[in-house]
């Protein structure tokens, strides 16, 4: 089955009972990603129609693309999006004409539609970063098939891992490297963002990055926005600052924590919020035609040289 309708929302909801968080589709037949205890709060990005449970067919889509039956939760409340303390803004980007062109990089997961990587390459896209894994056992079933298609089209390829709290970090690294199977040309990244009830700690992110470096002999990219800013507070951290920052911030004035001088890559839009172009030919994005687009501040030769790290 596929969800027939999605209503875009942004907020939080708290589980009233123990409930399964499912991967792939809003269905009682979908794999269980993890179990949420009563009292667990999750971040919601959409309400979709799925399997009817006890006469209620509404499901919540979470920030990491999983689904939970809405009947097990309290009503959605508005999310607090107050930005954390940060360093001075990077120069204003509204006047940068490159934001209105096809971006050099997009990031996608199994819930994003792909019609043709060849068409996207012809339009100017040059890199794709795809979600590979979640926690110690979750995998994105579109990752490997799309990797072959994208690289054959001439696109640079990258893999991300969604970090969680309730699995040993070493097991998460094993899951990520086994499924992503990165070669020397594959960008690897840790997705460190808000996940109520299953939030990877700052020390967990540190351990993950260190273990990847130990295994691959190169540093992963850190994807984050307000989460890492809040976790680091006012203190500059040389360890995190030594990793390239893939900044998530949907606004015209991207700001980075004082641990970095600037971002390496900037996710400036989710296809709805944020400035600049929000579409790429051949990659329509999710059911509402939303697509994460990323700005690289250098040229194509620089992107290629820096891609895998």
């Amino acid at each position: 089955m596929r969800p027939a309708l999605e209503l875009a929302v942004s907020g939080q909801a708290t589980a009233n009972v123990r409930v399964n968080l499912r991967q792939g589709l809003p269905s009682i037949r979908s794999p269980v990603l993890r179990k949420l205890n009563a009292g667990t709060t999750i971040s919601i990005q959409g309400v979709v129609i799925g399997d009817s449970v006890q006469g209620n067919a509404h499901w919540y889509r979470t920030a990491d693309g999983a689904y939970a039956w809405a009947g097990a939760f309290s009503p959605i409340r508005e999310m607090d999006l107050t930005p954390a303390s940060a360093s001075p803004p990077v120069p204003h980007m509204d006047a940068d004409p490159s934001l209105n062109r096809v971006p050099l990089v997009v990031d996608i997961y199994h819930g994003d539609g792909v019609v043709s990587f060849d068409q996207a390459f012809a339009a100017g896209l040059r890199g794709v970063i795809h979600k590979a894994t979640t926690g110690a056992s979750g995998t994105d079933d579109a990752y490997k098939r799309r990797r072959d298609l994208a690289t054959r089209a001439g696109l640079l390829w990258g893999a991300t891992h969604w970090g969680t709290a309730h699995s040993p970090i070493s097991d998460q690294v094993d899951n990520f490297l086994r499924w992503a199977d990165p070669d020397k040309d594959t960008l690897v990244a840790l997705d460190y963002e808000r996940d109520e009830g299953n939030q990877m700690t700052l020390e967990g992110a540190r351990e993950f990055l260190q273990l990847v470096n130990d295994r691959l002999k190169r540093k992963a990219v850190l994807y984050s926005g307000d989460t890492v800013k809040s976790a680091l507070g006012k203190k500059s951290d040389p360890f995190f600052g030594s990793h390239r920052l893939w900044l998530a911030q949907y606004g015209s004035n991207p700001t980075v924590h004082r641990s970095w001088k600037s971002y390496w890559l900037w996710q400036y839009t989710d296809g709805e919020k944020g400035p600049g172009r929000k579409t790429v030919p051949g990659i329509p994005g999710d059911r509402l035609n939303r697509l994460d687009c990323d700005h690289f501040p250098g040229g194509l030769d620089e992107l290629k040289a820096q891609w895998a790290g």
Side-chain angles (χ1 to χ4, degrees), residues 44-190:
I44 306 298
Q45 289 196 342
V47 179
V48 304
I49 302 299
D51 284 352
S52 179
V53 181
Q54 299 178 17
N56 182 351
H58 293 92
W59 291 65
Y60 291 151
R61 180 173 64 81
T62 66
D64 58 348
Y67 296 92
W69 178 58
F73 290 82
S74 62
I76 298 175
R77 59 186 181 276
E78 186 177 357
M79 184 182 294
D80 179 10
L81 294 177
T82 304
S85 173
S87 62
V90 176
H92 197 280
M93 298 295 294
D94 272 349
D96 188 341
S98 66
L99 287 185
N100 295 317
R101 298 196 292 264
V102 171
L104 287 177
V105 182
V106 297
D107 57 283
I108 59 177
Y109 78 116
H110 67 269
D112 291 312
V114 174
V115 175
S116 170
F117 285 122
D118 291 298
Q119 184 181 358
F121 183 89
L125 186 72
R126 289 299 179 265
V128 174
I129 306 174
H130 202 291
K131 180 180 177 181
T133 50
T134 300
S137 60
T139 57
D140 190 309
D141 56 8
Y143 172 86
K144 294 187 177 182
R145 170 175 50 83
R146 287 178 173 175
R147 176 179 184 165
D148 291 340
L149 294 171
T151 54
R152 282 205 297 268
L155 292 164
L156 301 167
W157 184 255
T160 63
H161 173 79
W162 180 287
T164 65
H166 302 312
S167 300
I169 300 301
S170 59
D171 291 350
Q172 295 192 47
V173 172
D174 287 344
N175 182 40
F176 175 56
L177 296 182
R178 180 174 56 251
W179 188 255
D181 191 23
D183 60 19
K184 63 181 180 61
D185 298 319
T186 303
L187 177 152
V188 293
L190 171 63

Side-chain angles (χ1 to χ4, degrees), residues 214-264:
D214 292 344
R215 296 273 293 271
L216 298 182
K217 307 305 178 186
R218 55 189 171 95
K219 292 180 178 179
V221 175
L222 177 66
Y223 169 92
S224 196
D226 284 344
T227 302
V228 75
K229 294 174 189 177
S230 296
L232 289 172
K234 296 181 179 180
K235 181 179 179 181
S236 178
D237 190 303
F239 174 84
F240 283 101
S242 70
H243 293 76
R244 291 174 292 165
L245 176 65
W246 176 9
L247 176 68
Q249 184 175 330
Y250 307 147
S252 298
N253 293 288
T255 59
V256 299
H257 186 269
R258 66 182 68 235
S259 299
W260 292 271
K261 292 182 179 180
S262 186
Y263 58 81
W264 178 72

